[in-house]
Amino acid sequence: MLPSTNLISLYLAQMDSNPTTAMYPLHRCKTIYLVRHAQGIHNVEGEKDHSAYMSPQLFDAHLTPLGWKQVDCLREHVKKSGLAQKIELVITSPLLRTMQTAVGVFGGENSVDGVSAPPLMVENAGHSSRPAISSLNCPPFLAVEGCREHLGVHPCDKRRSITEYRSLFPAIDFSLIENDEDVLWEPNVREANASVAARGMKFIDWLWTREEKEIAIVSHSGFLYHTLSMYSRECHPTIREEVGKHFANCELRSMVLVDTSMLGSNPPSYNYPGRTPAGLDLPSDAVP
């Protein structure tokens, strides 16, 4: 065995040359909970025949009965794990399947007659055969176009008018969406993977404008895959494989965002300056 002084020197040398952990101020971090929507009718038809994604019958695809069962299972997990009490904001892509998933997983209980608060989802919204979902005792919901699926060509990825959505999801906030009609979707141009990834990175940067620290984001397979693939490029291969794989329907993954570019401006919530009351506190390792 090496003498203790040599062990210490070796330990310090390893720390300097190959650190295995990292530290960052808590107020420059956020936790995000990424969710892919539950099974939609387009997933079923597209797996049988990929050309079905071109079908106008799949316009703004809604969840299947199996998809709603997946929503119920994830909702139970979110409640049992304590996550439901932690989330401060739910961000959703403004498509029918993502909003159905978002309110089904993170919304309140069934809407109660006589309660004045508008529901998150009205009864049978999007052929769901589901009761209305309450907006009580749950975080706020915000629709954001930046986390939509690939834009263009596939009718399942084209959204309805915001006017129609507001009638189906009265308590979702659509104020950040500028155009009532879907001006982003083009019938003959499919958004490139690189463009989706760039849009995803811009969306993640935008999250730093929000004061919430625990945010759920309900989005789509392509958007999540290409965005996370960009962020995981410099990671260890094991982490890159874990982060960059495709999401299953209604899968939830937790990620920590770190503000390395000083994009966020929120002050620390738990830090305490010390020296109250003030007194002499010169540390023993200070150099005179």
Side-chain angles (χ1 to χ4, degrees):
M1 183 179 287
L2 291 171
S4 60
T5 53
N6 287 351
L7 283 171
I8 293 172
S9 298
L10 178 61
Y11 171 70
L12 292 175
Q14 288 176 335
M15 285 185 64
D16 291 338
S17 63
N18 188 28
T20 57
T21 60
M23 252 184 222
Y24 218 73
L26 179 62
H27 70 282
R28 299 201 179 279
C29 300
K30 291 182 187 289
T31 304
I32 59 174
Y33 304 94
L34 302 174
V35 179
R36 181 191 174 194
H37 62 78
Q39 186 193 70
I41 58 171
H42 65 305
N43 296 133
V44 175
E45 298 306 318
E47 188 153 331
K48 296 176 184 174
D49 179 4
H50 191 270
S51 66
Y53 285 116
M54 301 295 294
S55 171
Q57 302 301 317
L58 298 179
F59 165 65
D60 193 17
H62 58 79
L63 298 187
T64 65
L66 176 64
W68 278 108
K69 290 181 181 179
Q70 293 171 340
V71 166
D72 292 338
C73 289
L74 180 54
R75 179 183 181 84
E76 183 179 3
H77 166 76
V78 165
K79 295 181 73 173
K80 285 186 175 180
S81 66
L83 183 55
Q85 285 71 47
K86 297 178 65 176
I87 292 173
E88 302 168 70
L89 175 69
V90 178
I91 294 174
T92 177
S93 160
L95 288 173
L96 191 54
R97 60 190 181 270
T98 40
M99 291 188 289
Q100 287 178 322
T101 302
V103 301
V105 171
F106 300 108
E109 300 298 334
N110 292 345
S111 189
V112 179
D113 291 339
V115 177
S116 59
L120 278 168
M121 187 181 83
V122 301
E123 183 179 1
N124 196 35
H127 309 287
S128 64
S129 300
R130 304 282 285 204
I133 296 175
S134 172
S135 61
L136 298 176
N137 301 315
C138 64
F141 285 69
L142 181 64
V144 177
E145 299 239 64
C147 60
R148 285 176 62 174
E149 184 58 291
H150 283 80
L151 299 166
V153 180
H154 294 171
C156 60
D157 298 326
K158 179 177 172 60
R159 69 165 172 82
R160 300 164 196 264
S161 71
I162 299 303
T163 298
E164 184 174 356
Y165 281 150
R166 282 197 171 108
S167 69
L168 299 174
F169 303 95
I172 292 183
D173 182 355
F174 294 97
S175 62
L176 295 184
I177 299 179
E178 297 179 356
N179 298 286
D180 189 51
E181 298 296 333
D182 189 356
V183 299
L184 300 177
W185 188 91
E186 298 182 45
N188 301 313
V189 180
R190 184 72 170 165
E191 186 178 17
N193 293 342
S195 176
V196 175
R199 174 160 59 84
M201 296 182 76
K202 184 177 179 180
F203 168 79
I204 296 297
D205 284 348
W206 170 81
L207 292 176
W208 290 108
T209 69
R210 305 291 310 186
E211 63 180 16
E212 297 88 357
K213 292 294 187 181
E214 308 261 351
I215 302 174
I217 299 162
V218 183
S219 186
H220 306 264
S221 175
F223 175 85
L224 293 170
Y225 174 78
H226 293 295
T227 300
L228 293 183
S229 293
M230 288 293 290
Y231 279 100
S232 64
R233 286 188 305 176
E234 304 302 323
C235 294
H236 183 278
T238 302
I239 302 300
R240 186 164 61 245
E241 181 179 358
E242 178 183 350
V243 173
K245 64 182 180 181
H246 282 91
F247 277 64
N249 281 131
C250 226
E251 180 180 353
L252 181 152
R253 295 185 205 166
S254 307
M255 302 282 177
V256 175
L257 297 184
V258 177
D259 179 16
T260 59
S261 301
M262 305 294 284
L263 292 172
S265 58
N266 294 331
S269 299
Y270 302 112
N271 289 7
Y272 184 73
R275 297 194 71 184
T276 305
L280 301 177
D281 64 355
L282 184 70
S284 61
D285 60 343
V287 178

